[in-house]
């Protein structure tokens, strides 16, 4: 989760994302992944971004899926 946050915040600084990567959004992602399921958490997370950013964010989450699922999903 920390790697994802670091990468997204670096991408935001680089101008890839306009939407701020807040701690609240990340905590909600973590909560939904552990309490609901990973796909629900991804959909909820992606909805925080602009239409132009959504596909990029979804691809990034898919790239981190194995690590995030093992860390977050119970």
């Amino acid at each position: 989760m920390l790697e994802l946050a670091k990468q997204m915040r670096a991408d935001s600084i680089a101008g890839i994302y306009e939407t701020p990567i807040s701690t609240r959004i990340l905590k909600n992602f973590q909560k939904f992944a552990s309490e609901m399921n990973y796909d629900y958490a991804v959909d909820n997370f992606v909805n925080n971004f602009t239409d132009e950013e959504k596909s990029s964010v979804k691809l990034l989450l898919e790239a981190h899926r194995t690590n995030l699922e093992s860390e977050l999903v119970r």
Side-chain angles (χ1 to χ4, degrees):
M1 187 72 190
L2 186 56
E3 282 302 313
L4 173 68
K6 285 180 184 179
Q7 182 174 356
M8 292 196 79
R9 287 184 170 144
D11 289 348
S12 182
I13 290 168
I16 295 172
Y17 302 119
E18 292 179 22
T19 303
I21 314 303
S22 71
T23 302
R24 181 188 55 79
I25 292 172
L26 293 166
K27 287 181 83 170
N28 283 341
F29 176 77
Q30 181 179 21
K31 177 182 176 186
F32 292 142
S34 66
E35 294 178 4
M36 306 291 257
N37 66 53
Y38 186 80
D39 291 324
Y40 178 81
V42 168
D43 289 341
N44 184 276
F45 187 79
V46 168
N47 284 331
N48 290 288
F49 294 85
T50 66
D51 289 341
E52 294 80 24
E53 296 170 328
K54 286 181 180 181
S55 62
S56 172
V57 171
K58 199 160 192 163
L59 283 172
L60 180 62
L61 290 171
E62 190 59 36
H64 287 269
R65 183 179 189 119
T66 303
N67 291 337
L68 289 170
E69 279 187 317
S70 67
E71 182 180 331
L72 301 174
V73 178
R74 296 176 190 183

Coordinates of all heavy atoms in Angstrom, one line a residue:
M1 N 0.8 -1.2 0.0 CA 0.0 0.0 0.0 C 0.9 1.3 0.0 O 0.6 2.2 -0.7 CB -0.9 -0.1 1.2 CG -1.9 1.0 1.3 SD -3.2 0.7 0.1 CE -4.1 2.2 0.2
L2 N 1.9 1.2 0.8 CA 2.8 2.3 0.8 C 3.5 2.6 -0.5 O 3.6 3.7 -0.9 CB 3.9 2.1 1.9 CG 4.8 3.2 2.2 CD1 4.1 4.5 2.6 CD2 5.8 2.8 3.3
E3 N 3.9 1.5 -1.2 CA 4.5 1.7 -2.6 C 3.5 2.3 -3.5 O 3.9 3.2 -4.3 CB 5.0 0.4 -3.1 CG 6.3 -0.1 -2.5 CD 7.4 0.9 -2.8 OE1 7.6 1.4 -3.9 OE2 8.1 1.2 -1.8
L4 N 2.2 1.9 -3.5 CA 1.2 2.5 -4.3 C 1.1 4.0 -4.0 O 1.1 4.9 -4.9 CB -0.1 1.8 -4.1 CG -1.3 2.5 -4.9 CD1 -1.2 2.4 -6.4 CD2 -2.6 1.9 -4.4
A5 N 1.0 4.3 -2.7 CA 0.8 5.7 -2.3 C 2.0 6.6 -2.8 O 1.8 7.7 -3.3 CB 0.7 5.8 -0.8
K6 N 3.2 6.1 -2.6 CA 4.4 6.8 -3.0 C 4.4 7.0 -4.5 O 4.7 8.1 -5.0 CB 5.7 6.0 -2.7 CG 6.0 6.1 -1.2 CD 7.3 5.3 -0.9 CE 7.7 5.2 0.5 NZ 8.9 4.4 0.7
Q7 N 4.1 6.0 -5.3 CA 4.1 6.1 -6.8 C 3.0 7.1 -7.2 O 3.3 7.9 -8.1 CB 3.9 4.7 -7.4 CG 3.9 4.8 -8.9 CD 3.8 3.5 -9.6 OE1 3.8 2.4 -9.0 NE2 3.8 3.5 -10.9
M8 N 1.8 7.0 -6.7 CA 0.8 7.9 -7.1 C 1.1 9.3 -6.7 O 0.8 10.3 -7.5 CB -0.6 7.5 -6.5 CG -1.0 6.1 -7.1 SD -2.8 5.8 -6.8 CE -3.5 6.9 -8.0
R9 N 1.7 9.6 -5.6 CA 2.0 10.9 -5.2 C 3.1 11.5 -6.0 O 3.1 12.6 -6.4 CB 2.3 11.0 -3.7 CG 1.1 10.8 -2.9 CD 1.3 11.0 -1.4 NE 0.0 11.0 -0.7 CZ -0.3 10.5 0.4 NH1 0.6 9.9 1.1 NH2 -1.5 10.6 1.0
A10 N 4.1 10.6 -6.4 CA 5.2 11.1 -7.3 C 4.6 11.4 -8.7 O 5.0 12.4 -9.3 CB 6.2 10.0 -7.4
D11 N 3.7 10.5 -9.1 CA 3.0 10.8 -10.4 C 2.2 12.1 -10.4 O 2.1 12.8 -11.4 CB 2.1 9.6 -10.8 CG 2.8 8.4 -11.2 OD1 4.1 8.5 -11.4 OD2 2.2 7.3 -11.3
S12 N 1.6 12.4 -9.3 CA 0.8 13.6 -9.1 C 1.7 14.8 -9.2 O 1.4 15.8 -9.9 CB 0.1 13.6 -7.8 OG -0.7 14.7 -7.6
I13 N 2.9 14.7 -8.5 CA 3.8 15.8 -8.6 C 4.4 16.0 -10.0 O 4.6 17.1 -10.5 CB 5.0 15.6 -7.6 CG1 4.5 15.7 -6.2 CG2 6.2 16.5 -7.8 CD1 5.5 15.2 -5.1
A14 N 4.5 14.9 -10.7 CA 5.0 15.0 -12.1 C 3.9 15.4 -13.1 O 4.2 15.7 -14.3 CB 5.5 13.6 -12.5
G15 N 2.7 15.6 -12.6 CA 1.6 16.1 -13.4 C 0.8 15.1 -14.1 O -0.1 15.4 -15.0
I16 N 1.0 13.8 -13.8 CA 0.2 12.7 -14.4 C -1.2 12.7 -13.9 O -2.1 12.5 -14.6 CB 0.9 11.4 -14.2 CG1 2.3 11.3 -14.9 CG2 0.0 10.2 -14.6 CD1 3.1 10.2 -14.6
Y17 N -1.4 13.0 -12.6 CA -2.7 13.1 -12.0 C -2.9 14.5 -11.5 O -2.1 15.1 -10.9 CB -2.8 12.1 -10.9 CG -2.6 10.7 -11.2 CD1 -1.6 10.0 -10.6 CD2 -3.4 10.1 -12.2 CE1 -1.4 8.7 -11.0 CE2 -3.2 8.8 -12.5 CZ -2.1 8.1 -11.9 OH -1.9 6.8 -12.3
E18 N -4.1 15.1 -11.8 CA -4.5 16.4 -11.2 C -5.2 16.2 -9.9 O -5.1 17.0 -9.0 CB -5.4 17.1 -12.2 CG -4.8 17.5 -13.5 CD -5.8 18.2 -14.4 OE1 -6.8 18.7 -13.9 OE2 -5.5 18.2 -15.6
T19 N -5.8 15.0 -9.7 CA -6.5 14.8 -8.5 C -5.5 14.5 -7.4 O -4.7 13.7 -7.5 CB -7.4 13.5 -8.7 OG1 -8.3 13.8 -9.8 CG2 -8.2 13.2 -7.4
P20 N -5.7 15.2 -6.2 CA -4.8 14.9 -5.1 C -5.0 13.5 -4.6 O -6.1 13.0 -4.5 CB -5.2 16.0 -4.1 CG -6.2 16.9 -4.7 CD -6.7 16.2 -6.0
I21 N -3.9 12.9 -4.2 CA -3.9 11.5 -3.6 C -3.9 11.7 -2.1 O -2.9 11.7 -1.4 CB -2.7 10.7 -4.0 CG1 -2.4 10.8 -5.5 CG2 -2.9 9.3 -3.6 CD1 -3.6 10.5 -6.4
S22 N -5.2 11.8 -1.5 CA -5.3 12.1 -0.1 C -5.1 10.8 0.7 O -5.4 9.7 0.2 CB -6.6 12.8 0.2 OG -7.7 11.8 0.0
T23 N -4.8 11.0 1.9 CA -4.7 9.9 2.9 C -6.1 9.3 3.1 O -6.2 8.1 3.2 CB -4.2 10.4 4.2 OG1 -2.9 11.0 4.0 CG2 -4.1 9.3 5.2
R24 N -7.1 10.1 3.1 CA -8.5 9.6 3.2 C -8.9 8.6 2.1 O -9.4 7.6 2.3 CB -9.5 10.7 3.2 CG -11.0 10.3 3.4 CD -12.0 11.4 3.2 NE -11.9 12.1 2.0 CZ -12.3 11.7 0.8 NH1 -12.9 10.6 0.7 NH2 -12.2 12.5 -0.3
I25 N -8.5 9.0 0.8 CA -8.8 8.1 -0.3 C -8.1 6.8 -0.1 O -8.6 5.7 -0.4 CB -8.5 8.8 -1.6 CG1 -9.4 10.0 -1.9 CG2 -8.5 7.8 -2.8 CD1 -8.9 10.8 -3.1
L26 N -6.8 6.8 0.3 CA -6.0 5.6 0.4 C -6.6 4.8 1.6 O -6.6 3.5 1.5 CB -4.6 6.0 0.7 CG -3.8 6.6 -0.5 CD1 -2.5 7.3 -0.1 CD2 -3.6 5.6 -1.6
K27 N -7.0 5.4 2.7 CA -7.5 4.7 3.8 C -8.8 4.0 3.5 O -9.1 2.9 3.9 CB -7.7 5.6 5.0 CG -6.3 5.9 5.7 CD -6.5 6.8 6.9 CE -6.8 5.9 8.0 NZ -6.8 6.5 9.3
N28 N -9.7 4.7 2.7 CA -10.9 4.1 2.2 C -10.6 2.9 1.3 O -11.3 1.9 1.4 CB -11.8 5.1 1.5 CG -12.5 6.0 2.5 OD1 -12.6 5.8 3.7 ND2 -12.9 7.2 2.0
F29 N -9.7 3.0 0.5 CA -9.3 1.9 -0.4 C -8.9 0.7 0.4 O -9.4 -0.4 0.2 CB -8.2 2.3 -1.4 CG -7.7 1.2 -2.2 CD1 -8.4 0.7 -3.3 CD2 -6.5 0.5 -1.9 CE1 -8.0 -0.3 -4.1 CE2 -6.0 -0.6 -2.7 CZ -6.8 -1.0 -3.8
Q30 N -8.1 0.9 1.4 CA -7.6 -0.1 2.3 C -8.8 -0.8 3.0 O -8.9 -2.0 3.1 CB -6.6 0.4 3.3 CG -6.0 -0.6 4.2 CD -5.0 0.0 5.2 OE1 -5.0 1.3 5.4 NE2 -4.2 -0.8 5.7
K31 N -9.7 0.1 3.6 CA -10.8 -0.4 4.3 C -11.7 -1.3 3.4 O -12.1 -2.4 3.8 CB -11.6 0.7 4.9 CG -12.8 0.4 5.6 CD -13.6 1.6 6.1 CE -14.9 1.1 6.7 NZ -15.7 2.3 7.1
F32 N -12.1 -0.8 2.2 CA -13.0 -1.5 1.3 C -12.3 -2.8 0.8 O -13.0 -3.8 0.7 CB -13.4 -0.6 0.2 CG -14.3 0.5 0.6 CD1 -14.2 1.7 0.0 CD2 -15.2 0.4 1.5 CE1 -15.0 2.8 0.3 CE2 -16.1 1.4 1.9 CZ -15.9 2.6 1.3
A33 N -11.0 -2.8 0.6 CA -10.4 -4.0 0.1 C -10.4 -5.1 1.2 O -10.6 -6.3 0.9 CB -8.9 -3.7 -0.3
S34 N -10.2 -4.7 2.4 CA -10.2 -5.7 3.5 C -11.6 -6.1 4.0 O -11.8 -7.3 4.3 CB -9.3 -5.2 4.7 OG -9.9 -4.1 5.3
E35 N -12.5 -5.2 4.0 CA -13.9 -5.5 4.5 C -14.8 -6.0 3.4 O -15.8 -6.7 3.7 CB -14.5 -4.3 5.2 CG -13.7 -3.9 6.5 CD -14.3 -2.7 7.1 OE1 -15.3 -2.1 6.7 OE2 -13.7 -2.3 8.1
M36 N -14.7 -5.5 2.2 CA -15.6 -5.9 1.1 C -14.8 -6.9 0.2 O -14.7 -8.0 0.5 CB -16.0 -4.7 0.3 CG -16.7 -3.6 1.2 SD -18.2 -4.1 1.9 CE -19.3 -3.2 0.8
N37 N -14.3 -6.3 -0.9 CA -13.4 -7.1 -1.8 C -12.5 -6.1 -2.6 O -12.8 -4.9 -2.7 CB -14.2 -8.1 -2.7 CG -15.1 -7.4 -3.7 OD1 -14.7 -6.6 -4.4 ND2 -16.3 -7.8 -3.7
Y38 N -11.5 -6.7 -3.2 CA -10.6 -5.8 -3.9 C -11.2 -5.1 -5.1 O -11.0 -3.9 -5.3 CB -9.4 -6.7 -4.4 CG -8.3 -5.9 -5.0 CD1 -7.4 -5.2 -4.2 CD2 -8.2 -5.7 -6.4 CE1 -6.4 -4.4 -4.8 CE2 -7.2 -4.9 -7.0 CZ -6.3 -4.3 -6.1 OH -5.3 -3.5 -6.7
D39 N -12.0 -5.8 -5.9 CA -12.6 -5.1 -7.1 C -13.5 -3.9 -6.6 O -13.6 -2.9 -7.3 CB -13.4 -6.1 -7.9 CG -12.5 -7.1 -8.6 OD1 -11.4 -6.7 -9.0 OD2 -12.9 -8.3 -8.7
Y40 N -14.3 -4.1 -5.6 CA -15.1 -3.0 -5.1 C -14.2 -1.8 -4.6 O -14.5 -0.7 -4.9 CB -16.0 -3.5 -3.9 CG -16.8 -2.4 -3.3 CD1 -18.0 -2.0 -3.9 CD2 -16.4 -1.7 -2.2 CE1 -18.8 -1.0 -3.3 CE2 -17.1 -0.6 -1.6 CZ -18.3 -0.3 -2.2 OH -19.1 0.8 -1.7
A41 N -13.2 -2.1 -4.0 CA -12.2 -1.1 -3.5 C -11.7 -0.3 -4.7 O -11.6 0.9 -4.7 CB -11.1 -1.7 -2.7
V42 N -11.3 -1.0 -5.8 CA -10.8 -0.4 -7.0 C -11.8 0.5 -7.6 O -11.5 1.7 -7.9 CB -10.3 -1.5 -8.0 CG1 -10.0 -0.8 -9.3 CG2 -9.0 -2.2 -7.4
D43 N -13.0 0.0 -7.8 CA -14.1 0.8 -8.4 C -14.3 2.1 -7.6 O -14.4 3.2 -8.1 CB -15.4 0.0 -8.5 CG -15.3 -1.0 -9.6 OD1 -14.4 -1.0 -10.5 OD2 -16.1 -2.0 -9.5
N44 N -14.4 2.0 -6.3 CA -14.6 3.1 -5.4 C -13.4 4.1 -5.5 O -13.6 5.3 -5.6 CB -14.8 2.6 -4.0 CG -15.1 3.8 -3.0 OD1 -14.2 4.4 -2.5 ND2 -16.4 4.0 -2.8
F45 N -12.2 3.6 -5.5 CA -11.0 4.4 -5.5 C -11.0 5.2 -6.8 O -10.7 6.4 -6.9 CB -9.8 3.5 -5.4 CG -8.5 4.2 -5.3 CD1 -8.1 4.8 -4.1 CD2 -7.6 4.3 -6.4 CE1 -6.9 5.5 -4.0 CE2 -6.4 5.0 -6.3 CZ -6.0 5.6 -5.1
V46 N -11.2 4.5 -7.9 CA -11.1 5.1 -9.3 C -12.2 6.2 -9.4 O -11.9 7.2 -10.1 CB -11.3 4.0 -10.4 CG1 -11.5 4.6 -11.7 CG2 -10.1 3.1 -10.4
N47 N -13.3 6.1 -8.8 CA -14.3 7.1 -8.9 C -13.9 8.4 -8.3 O -14.6 9.4 -8.5 CB -15.6 6.6 -8.3 CG -16.3 5.6 -9.2 OD1 -16.2 5.7 -10.4 ND2 -17.1 4.7 -8.6
N48 N -12.8 8.5 -7.6 CA -12.4 9.8 -7.0 C -11.6 10.6 -8.1 O -11.3 11.8 -7.8 CB -11.4 9.5 -5.8 CG -12.2 9.0 -4.6 OD1 -12.9 9.7 -4.0 ND2 -12.0 7.7 -4.4
F49 N -11.3 10.0 -9.2 CA -10.5 10.7 -10.2 C -11.3 11.2 -11.4 O -12.4 10.8 -11.6 CB -9.4 9.7 -10.7 CG -8.4 9.4 -9.6 CD1 -8.7 8.4 -8.7 CD2 -7.2 10.1 -9.5 CE1 -7.8 8.1 -7.7 CE2 -6.3 9.8 -8.5 CZ -6.6 8.8 -7.6
T50 N -10.7 12.1 -12.2 CA -11.4 12.6 -13.3 C -11.5 11.5 -14.4 O -10.8 10.5 -14.3 CB -10.6 13.8 -14.0 OG1 -9.4 13.3 -14.5 CG2 -10.4 14.9 -13.0
D51 N -12.4 11.7 -15.3 CA -12.6 10.7 -16.4 C -11.4 10.4 -17.1 O -11.1 9.3 -17.5 CB -13.7 11.1 -17.3 CG -15.1 11.1 -16.7 OD1 -15.3 10.4 -15.7 OD2 -16.0 11.8 -17.2
E52 N -10.5 11.4 -17.3 CA -9.3 11.3 -18.1 C -8.3 10.4 -17.3 O -7.4 9.8 -17.8 CB -8.7 12.6 -18.4 CG -9.5 13.5 -19.4 CD -10.7 14.2 -18.7 OE1 -10.6 14.4 -17.5 OE2 -11.6 14.5 -19.4
E53 N -8.4 10.5 -16.0 CA -7.4 9.8 -15.1 C -7.8 8.4 -14.8 O -7.0 7.5 -14.4 CB -7.2 10.5 -13.8 CG -6.6 11.9 -14.0 CD -6.7 12.7 -12.7 OE1 -7.6 12.6 -11.9 OE2 -5.8 13.6 -12.5
K54 N -9.1 8.0 -14.9 CA -9.6 6.8 -14.4 C -8.9 5.5 -15.0 O -8.5 4.6 -14.3 CB -11.1 6.7 -14.6 CG -11.9 7.6 -13.6 CD -13.3 7.5 -13.8 CE -14.0 8.4 -12.8 NZ -15.5 8.3 -12.9
S55 N -8.7 5.5 -16.3 CA -8.1 4.3 -16.9 C -6.7 4.2 -16.5 O -6.2 3.0 -16.2 CB -8.2 4.4 -18.4 OG -7.5 5.5 -18.9
S56 N -5.9 5.3 -16.3 CA -4.5 5.2 -15.8 C -4.5 4.7 -14.4 O -3.6 3.8 -14.1 CB -3.9 6.6 -15.9 OG -2.6 6.6 -15.4
V57 N -5.4 5.2 -13.6 CA -5.4 4.7 -12.2 C -5.7 3.2 -12.1 O -5.1 2.5 -11.3 CB -6.4 5.6 -11.3 CG1 -6.6 5.0 -10.0 CG2 -5.9 7.0 -11.3
K58 N -6.7 2.8 -12.9 CA -7.1 1.4 -12.9 C -6.0 0.5 -13.3 O -5.7 -0.5 -12.7 CB -8.3 1.2 -13.8 CG -9.1 0.0 -13.4 CD -10.5 0.0 -13.9 CE -11.2 -1.2 -13.4 NZ -12.7 -1.0 -13.4
L59 N -5.2 0.9 -14.3 CA -4.1 0.2 -14.8 C -3.0 0.1 -13.7 O -2.4 -1.0 -13.5 CB -3.5 0.8 -16.0 CG -4.2 0.6 -17.3 CD1 -3.6 1.4 -18.5 CD2 -4.2 -0.9 -17.7
L60 N -2.8 1.2 -13.0 CA -1.8 1.2 -11.9 C -2.2 0.2 -10.8 O -1.4 -0.6 -10.3 CB -1.6 2.6 -11.4 CG -0.6 2.8 -10.2 CD1 0.8 2.4 -10.7 CD2 -0.7 4.2 -9.7
L61 N -3.5 0.3 -10.4 CA -4.0 -0.7 -9.4 C -3.9 -2.1 -9.9 O -3.6 -3.0 -9.1 CB -5.4 -0.3 -9.0 CG -5.6 1.0 -8.3 CD1 -7.0 1.4 -8.1 CD2 -4.9 0.9 -6.9
E62 N -4.1 -2.3 -11.1 CA -4.0 -3.7 -11.7 C -2.5 -4.2 -11.6 O -2.3 -5.3 -11.3 CB -4.5 -3.8 -13.1 CG -4.7 -5.2 -13.6 CD -5.6 -6.1 -12.8 OE1 -6.6 -5.6 -12.2 OE2 -5.3 -7.3 -12.7
A63 N -1.6 -3.3 -11.9 CA -0.2 -3.6 -11.8 C 0.3 -4.0 -10.4 O 1.1 -4.8 -10.2 CB 0.7 -2.5 -12.3
H64 N -0.4 -3.4 -9.4 CA -0.1 -3.6 -8.0 C -1.0 -4.7 -7.3 O -0.9 -4.9 -6.1 CB -0.2 -2.3 -7.2 CG 0.9 -1.4 -7.4 ND1 2.1 -1.4 -6.7 CD2 1.1 -0.4 -8.4 CE1 2.9 -0.4 -7.1 NE2 2.3 0.2 -8.2
R65 N -1.9 -5.2 -8.1 CA -3.0 -6.1 -7.6 C -2.5 -7.2 -6.7 O -2.9 -7.4 -5.6 CB -3.8 -6.6 -8.7 CG -5.0 -7.5 -8.2 CD -5.8 -8.0 -9.3 NE -7.0 -8.6 -8.7 CZ -8.3 -8.2 -9.0 NH1 -8.5 -7.3 -9.8 NH2 -9.3 -8.8 -8.4
T66 N -1.5 -8.0 -7.1 CA -1.0 -9.1 -6.4 C -0.5 -8.7 -5.0 O -0.9 -9.3 -4.0 CB 0.1 -9.9 -7.2 OG1 -0.4 -10.3 -8.4 CG2 0.6 -11.1 -6.4
N67 N 0.3 -7.7 -5.0 CA 0.9 -7.2 -3.7 C -0.2 -6.6 -2.8 O -0.2 -6.9 -1.6 CB 2.0 -6.2 -3.9 CG 3.2 -6.8 -4.5 OD1 3.4 -8.0 -4.4 ND2 4.0 -6.0 -5.2
L68 N -1.1 -5.8 -3.4 CA -2.1 -5.2 -2.6 C -3.1 -6.3 -2.0 O -3.5 -6.2 -0.9 CB -2.9 -4.2 -3.4 CG -2.1 -2.9 -3.7 CD1 -2.8 -2.0 -4.7 CD2 -1.8 -2.1 -2.4
E69 N -3.5 -7.2 -2.9 CA -4.4 -8.2 -2.4 C -3.8 -9.0 -1.2 O -4.5 -9.3 -0.3 CB -4.9 -9.2 -3.5 CG -6.0 -8.6 -4.4 CD -6.5 -9.6 -5.4 OE1 -5.7 -10.3 -6.0 OE2 -7.7 -9.6 -5.6
S70 N -2.6 -9.4 -1.4 CA -2.0 -10.2 -0.3 C -1.8 -9.4 1.0 O -1.9 -9.9 2.1 CB -0.6 -10.7 -0.8 OG 0.3 -9.7 -0.9
E71 N -1.7 -8.1 0.8 CA -1.5 -7.2 2.0 C -2.9 -6.8 2.6 O -3.0 -6.7 3.8 CB -0.8 -5.9 1.5 CG -0.6 -4.9 2.6 CD 0.1 -3.7 2.1 OE1 0.9 -3.8 1.1 OE2 -0.1 -2.6 2.7
L72 N -3.9 -6.6 1.8 CA -5.2 -6.0 2.3 C -6.3 -7.0 2.4 O -7.2 -6.8 3.3 CB -5.6 -4.9 1.3 CG -4.6 -3.8 1.2 CD1 -5.1 -2.8 0.1 CD2 -4.4 -3.0 2.5
V73 N -6.4 -8.0 1.5 CA -7.6 -8.8 1.5 C -7.4 -9.9 2.5 O -6.4 -10.6 2.5 CB -7.9 -9.4 0.1 CG1 -9.1 -10.3 0.1 CG2 -8.1 -8.3 -0.9
R74 N -8.4 -10.1 3.4 CA -8.4 -11.1 4.4 C -9.0 -12.4 4.0 O -9.9 -12.5 3.3 CB -9.1 -10.6 5.7 CG -8.4 -9.4 6.2 CD -9.1 -8.9 7.4 NE -8.5 -7.6 7.7 CZ -8.8 -6.9 8.7 NH1 -9.8 -7.2 9.5 NH2 -8.2 -5.8 9.0

